[in-house]
Amino acid sequence: MARVARKRSEIDSYTVILRAADGVIFDEYDHNMFLAICSKCKETEHFAILAYALSYDSISLVIKASDLEHVMRKITVSYVTKYNKYHGHKGSILKDRFTSIPAGDYDQLWRMVFDIHA
């Protein structure tokens, strides 16, 4: 069965949620590694992270990117590879694919930023 296509944002802005697979817990080292990967990807990709929240079982971002799928693929593949190498883990560490919620306008975008920090 085919997946439903992602809804596109007219202003190229989204809230993105990555959830940890069962039994996977993100610690402070993992959070720092994720932020370093995002910073490194910004050198070659065109996107901006407006807000983020890192917890033990999920990562939430408010991101502005014209090609969200490409940017998130680069970030998640790098992150999973480094996580698995550091922790001696094999396989996926994320549940399914990432969830994205498109922002319809700039007011909604700033509410998303506020919600991440609240």
Side-chain angles (χ1 to χ4, degrees), residues 83-102:
Y83 181 97
N84 283 343
K85 185 175 181 181
Y86 180 77
H87 291 283
H89 185 269
K90 291 187 180 184
S92 180
I93 62 167
L94 301 173
K95 281 187 183 175
D96 201 24
R97 61 182 182 163
F98 64 91
T99 304
S100 64
I101 304 166

Side-chain angles (χ1 to χ4, degrees), residues 28-109:
E28 186 177 349
Y29 178 83
D30 302 324
H31 294 156
N32 291 332
M33 181 173 41
F34 182 82
L35 294 174
I37 288 168
C38 289
S39 180
K40 185 175 181 183
C41 285
K42 285 173 88 173
E43 295 172 5
T44 58
E45 304 301 322
H46 300 289
F47 70 96
I49 295 176
L50 305 176
Y52 62 88
L54 309 170
S55 71
Y56 72 95
D57 66 346
S58 67
I59 298 170
S60 301
L61 308 167
V62 176
I63 188 169
K64 186 164 180 63
S66 58
D67 190 357
L68 180 67
E69 290 80 11
H70 178 76
V71 169
M72 290 309 298
R73 185 178 314 115
K74 255 193 131 142
I75 290 171
T76 56
V77 167
S78 295
Y79 182 61
V80 169
T81 302
K82 288 188 183 227
Y83 181 97
N84 283 343
K85 185 175 181 181
Y86 180 77
H87 291 283
H89 185 269
K90 291 187 180 184
S92 180
I93 62 167
L94 301 173
K95 281 187 183 175
D96 201 24
R97 61 182 182 163
F98 64 91
T99 304
S100 64
I101 304 166
D105 57 30
Y106 287 102
D107 288 336
Q108 187 178 11
L109 172 62

